[in-house]
Amino acid sequence: MPTGPYRLPGPGRDGVMVRRDGALTRVLWVGDEEVLVRACAAAGAVRIRAEASSGEACAAAIERMRFALGTDHDLGDFHRRFRWDPLIGPVIRRKPWVRPRRRPEPFEALAWAVCEQLIESGRAAAIQRKIVRRHGRRSRCGTLTAPPSAAFLAGRSPAELDACGLAPKRSIALVRVAREVATGRADLTQHEPAWRRLRAIPNIGSWTLEMLAVAGQGRDDQLPALDVAYLKFVGAAAGLGRRATEEEVREFFAPYGEYAGLAGCYALQRRFAR
């Protein structure tokens, strides 16, 4: 059973997860072992089924999908503390199932954040789909493809990613972060140390690392403050008559403390509802 009110998210636009027979379906790799995972909602529960050669790989893949789908993301304290907050309280009361979108692998979140830098979401999704088609790991059945691993991208040339529509400087950044992760120099299970290591790479800044933190590492305290959606939202909500600055966004959400990222997610839901 999911923790608290819950609704299964959509499959996304990168072509990795698809909806088949009412279930969200994708392929994962646990080490070198392929795992087919399906998730569907039934009678107030979320059923996740994995198929692989070993039970260990199935268990690991199910755990990753539980993280990605947010079924164990406990929002109880957040909801209690801010249920009557004037900004996000109405969303908590109307849509208590809202959760940030996550990826089952932290490197997926990092790679996709690099792809999404400074462009609109539709364009980023098109680039991601091309990367998946050209460089992704295809399932044995040939109908599902996962994003390329860090080890695979570490061996690619930036020109190969340029051909997918990624800007040259971001192609270089993506190859460099892949090499840091593949060699273990940036261990994404060690959050702050990995962020410090990755920040030394040109074109990897706070927004990219905060997207990694939210979508790949489950950090509710991290807010991608440079996101255009937040710059516009805070500019309007604070009555600035312009887009807010990064610092103004951080100050706006500072009262939410360790839940700043969650609060931002809920605030944007309020904006979109309007």
Side-chain angles (χ1 to χ4, degrees), residues 29-234:
W29 268 264
V30 177
D32 294 326
E33 190 167 352
E34 177 185 322
V35 188
L36 180 65
V37 186
R38 297 183 179 91
C40 63
V46 176
R47 297 179 179 177
I48 303 176
R49 178 180 178 181
E51 300 175 13
S53 301
S54 72
E56 292 82 0
C58 287
I62 288 173
E63 183 178 355
R64 292 182 192 177
M65 286 303 294
R66 291 181 71 89
F67 171 82
L69 298 175
T71 56
D72 299 327
H73 194 173
D74 188 355
L75 305 180
D77 181 64
F78 171 71
H79 286 172
R80 286 189 293 272
R81 287 176 58 180
F82 300 108
R83 179 176 178 81
W84 302 107
D85 180 84
L87 177 68
I88 62 174
V91 183
I92 291 174
R93 297 193 297 274
R94 289 197 312 268
K95 297 182 177 181
W97 56 81
V98 169
R99 287 164 167 78
R101 290 194 71 95
R102 292 173 171 177
R103 310 294 304 191
E105 296 279 3
F107 180 73
E108 277 189 26
L110 174 58
W112 272 194
V114 174
C115 294
E116 293 163 4
Q117 290 177 355
L118 301 176
I119 59 175
E120 56 92 23
S121 60
R123 174 63 179 152
I127 293 170
Q128 291 161 354
R129 289 193 295 270
K130 287 182 181 179
I131 291 175
V132 169
R133 285 197 302 269
R134 296 186 184 188
H135 304 295
R137 302 179 73 177
R138 192 169 296 277
S139 64
R140 284 190 296 271
C141 67
T143 62
L144 296 168
T145 311
S149 66
F152 181 87
L153 285 178
R156 305 277 70 78
S157 71
E160 293 177 88
L161 298 175
D162 294 351
C164 296
L166 202 59
K169 62 183 179 180
R170 279 182 269 284
S171 296
I172 294 170
L174 182 50
V175 170
R176 291 190 64 181
V177 299
R179 289 173 180 167
E180 291 296 304
V181 174
T183 60
R185 292 191 294 265
D187 180 355
L188 299 185
T189 67
Q190 303 296 316
H191 299 181
E192 282 80 359
W195 302 344
R196 289 193 293 270
R197 182 87 190 188
L198 294 169
R199 191 181 289 275
I201 298 173
N203 297 300
I204 300 298
S206 59
W207 182 89
T208 304
L209 297 177
E210 286 154 357
M211 291 296 289
L212 160 65
V214 171
Q217 296 169 323
R219 293 287 294 263
D220 290 337
D221 61 325
Q222 296 297 303
L223 178 77
L226 270 174
D227 197 284
V228 172
Y230 288 121
L231 302 181
K232 290 181 177 179
F233 175 83
V234 173

